[in-house]
Amino acid sequence: MRSGSRDVVLLFPGQGAQHNRMAEGLYGHDPEFTQTVDTVLAMFSDGDQLRTDWLSDAPSLAIEDVRRAQPLLFTIGYALGRMVLSWGVRPAALLGHSVGELVAATLAGVFTPRAAVDLLSDRVTKLAGTPPGGMLTVSAQESDLASVLVRHPRVSVGAINAPRQIALTGFQAELGAAEEDLRAAGYTVRRVAAGKAFHSPALAGVFAGPYPIDEHIMHSPRIPLWSAFTANRVLTPDPYSWAGHPAEPVLFWPTLEKIMAEGPCLLADLGPGQGLATLARRHPDVRSGRSAVTALLPVRDRDPAVERETGERARQILLACQRHQNPHGRTR
């Protein structure tokens, strides 16, 4: 890689990043984003209600509800990805967190949008039928939490987001008891906007077996795709591995480490809230200036003008990086 060049890596967030009216400022403003949102929402059986709830301050279902958060995060993330590609950006890698991996895989061509919507709808129906639960982030290393997990065996690590940010997952009562213990021990704990025990092994029975999809319509990625469930490149998609994602931990940080070990990156958060951008900024390569981070949407500001301004700044940064990118790119 040439001195000063960076490869573009697109990041797609999962449950917890969502909020009402996310990316509203781009809808009706950017043609690619608008058309993609309209096309994808029309594929959901309740697409009209999804749109209404997305743009409402008093939705029929709370935005944290799995029946709203998951479809809307997929729709917005995929539309943002299509918008970035329409600018002429050619990413060197795609990485998604939880449902963001389905976004990344669809953008990479593993699934058609229709197939992805079918997969997601099946996943949401199954998740909606599971007991109430949740996730909480803890400012600690995984090893620090061993004693808590021993005392609360039905609580488990649901995601490794950073060296000192672990997400725990579990059903409501057990997770609440673990949260009390952690706070009493002086840990900083924050609830994730999720009402289910995402990425808990307790859900393994619900998500056993392949997705109800013909494996022959799954394709090898056209854009390098990394899986945060295996911390490796996705070369040949496996419907059995996709089936188990909701019951498996997200290895976001270990996967990001492998991607960044290949050379300097410009990491772009393509989702609401800038949660993945915040995590990525902790990486030593970013803190040293060797790599950089940008985001397409503001942290929580729902002013459409601010969303458009943030998106335009990100566009300029991404295109400037693209002009200076190594023409040979990474090893594919």
Side-chain angles (χ1 to χ4, degrees):
M1 182 170 293
R2 297 176 303 171
S3 175
S5 68
R6 291 172 175 150
D7 279 338
V8 173
V9 177
L10 304 184
L11 307 176
F12 300 90
Q15 182 96 16
Q18 73 282 345
H19 61 79
N20 292 99
R21 299 183 181 274
M22 53 186 172
E24 178 189 18
L26 300 177
Y27 188 67
H29 174 75
D30 183 273
E32 184 70 27
F33 178 84
T34 303
Q35 181 179 350
T36 303
V37 167
D38 288 342
T39 299
V40 174
L41 285 180
M43 295 177 183
F44 287 98
S45 61
D46 59 346
D48 289 342
Q49 191 61 52
L50 275 170
R51 182 196 308 277
T52 299
D53 284 352
W54 166 42
L55 299 175
S56 172
D57 288 323
S60 63
L61 289 174
I63 193 66
E64 292 79 13
D65 192 295
V66 65
R67 293 166 291 177
R68 288 293 172 264
Q70 297 271 305
L72 288 175
L73 282 169
F74 174 82
T75 301
I76 298 303
Y78 181 65
L80 289 172
R82 293 295 309 171
M83 181 178 75
V84 168
L85 295 185
S86 77
W87 295 341
V89 174
R90 296 295 174 259
L94 307 175
L95 172 61
H97 191 294
S98 190
V99 71
E101 184 155 321
L102 184 58
V103 177
T106 306
L107 197 66
V110 172
F111 301 110
T112 64
R114 173 76 265 177
V117 166
D118 289 344
L119 299 185
L120 184 58
S121 297
D122 176 75
R123 178 184 292 183
V124 166
T125 298
K126 290 175 178 175
L127 281 167
T130 62
M135 300 187 77
L136 52 92
T137 59
V138 187
S139 297
Q141 299 181 72
E142 186 176 5
S143 58
D144 296 335
L145 305 178
S147 61
V148 173
L149 297 178
V150 168
R151 290 196 301 276
H152 304 280
R154 299 196 68 188
V155 174
S156 57
V157 173
I160 301 175
N161 292 327
R164 292 193 59 81
Q165 188 183 108
I166 304 298
L168 299 183
T169 179
F171 295 131
Q172 201 167 71
E174 292 90 343
L175 192 67
E179 181 178 6
E180 289 182 8
D181 280 1
L182 288 163
R183 292 189 186 279
Y187 288 102
T188 300
V189 180
R190 183 179 66 83
R191 281 275 178 164
V192 177
K196 298 293 180 180
F198 291 95
H199 309 298
S200 168
L203 302 184
V206 178
F207 293 97
Y211 269 123
I213 185 171
D214 186 339
E215 63 182 301
H216 297 295
I217 70 170
M218 300 175 71
H219 304 284
S220 296
R222 294 192 296 267
I223 303 172
L225 172 67
W226 287 75
S227 172
F229 293 98
T230 66
N232 288 306
R233 281 274 301 273
V234 176
L235 301 177
T236 304
D238 176 2
Y240 280 89
S241 68
W242 278 91
H245 284 180
E248 296 172 359
V250 178
L251 309 176
F252 176 77
W253 190 265
T255 312
L256 184 66
E257 290 258 66
K258 287 187 177 182
I259 292 173
M260 299 189 72
E262 295 190 359
C265 301
L266 172 60
L267 303 161
D269 186 339
L270 271 62
Q274 294 194 17
L276 296 187
T278 299
L279 294 174
R281 290 187 181 105
R282 301 182 186 183
H283 196 280
D285 274 12
V286 175
R287 294 169 66 183
S288 71
R290 182 170 181 259
S291 293
V293 177
T294 189
L296 264 70
L297 293 173
V299 176
R300 280 286 175 179
D301 197 319
R302 296 189 300 174
D303 183 336
V306 174
E307 289 187 325
R308 290 192 288 271
E309 291 166 4
T310 304
E312 176 57 24
R313 283 197 299 271
R315 186 184 74 85
Q316 293 176 10
I317 291 169
L318 285 163
L319 290 179
C321 178
Q322 192 75 57
R323 286 193 295 271
H324 294 92
Q325 196 172 44
N326 185 343
H328 301 294
R330 296 182 173 209
T331 301
R332 296 295 195 258

